[in-house]
Structures are given as C-alpha cells and as structure tokens.
Amino acid sequence: MLFHVRMDVKIPHDLPREQAAEILAREKAYSQELQRSGKWRHIWRLAGEYANFSIFDVQDNAELHAILSGLPLFPFMQVTVTPLLRHPSAIREDDS
C-alpha cells in the first residue's frame, strides 16, 4: 500500500543541543535505512518549513504506524497520513 505522509517537526527550543543532535543523527540513519529497503520511497523537504512530504510503500496501516512511531523525531512531529491508490487515468504501470 502506498501512503502520502506529511511530517511537520517542532523540536522544543529548550531541548539541549547535544540531545537534539543525537536524535537527528538517529533519525537520519533510520530514515535512510527505510529508503534503502524501499519502504520509504520518496521524501521531499517543503521549502521554508521544517516539514516534508513522503511516500511510503508498506504492507498495511499497522506497518506504517510502526515505522512512523519508530522515528526518533516522532515525539516532536505532527503527522498527517493519506492512503493512496492508482488513478485509473495514470499512464505509468510501474508505480502502484
């Protein structure tokens, strides 16, 4: 199943710099591992915001929830999920 996910990040200003840096390093490693596995298919930064649009390709809602809640930045995120399915007018066969 494909999901469009918007993630808005709001790291508290009073979080110690060293702690924030450690969380960000774990976040990067985890997200890149998911991208290499094909689960996190696309990620785009939203210009001028600490936010992204991402496309996930996972088995079901439960797998997506496990992945998202496992993100080190998850406690500092507002997440919006939209399930996707192929449009009948789409011409590409390789992106279902």
Side-chain angles (χ1 to χ4, degrees):
M1 292 183 71
L2 294 177
F3 292 90
H4 171 271
V5 179
R6 179 181 174 133
M7 294 176 242
D8 292 272
V9 181
K10 293 179 176 49
I11 298 175
H13 296 291
D14 59 349
L15 188 69
R17 188 179 307 194
E18 300 78 23
Q19 186 178 355
E22 187 271 330
I23 291 169
L24 291 170
R26 287 190 296 117
E27 179 83 10
K28 183 175 183 177
Y30 181 59
S31 70
Q32 289 180 346
E33 174 187 326
L34 288 165
Q35 289 173 68
R36 281 190 281 280
S37 77
K39 300 283 183 186
W40 197 326
R41 298 234 334 233
H42 301 281
I43 182 170
W44 293 276
R45 171 65 51 92
L46 303 182
E49 299 181 48
Y50 196 170
N52 72 73
F53 284 145
S54 293
I55 302 295
F56 286 84
D57 188 358
V58 295
Q59 199 72 304
D60 53 26
N61 295 338
E63 183 180 15
L64 180 64
H65 180 76
I67 287 171
L68 295 176
S69 62
L71 290 166
L73 281 173
F74 185 74
F76 311 112
M77 288 182 176
Q78 177 178 340
V79 178
T80 305
V81 176
T82 305
L84 301 173
L85 63 135
R86 195 168 192 292
H87 193 283
S89 298
I91 62 169
R92 290 195 170 83
E93 297 293 329
D94 63 342
D95 204 19
S96 56

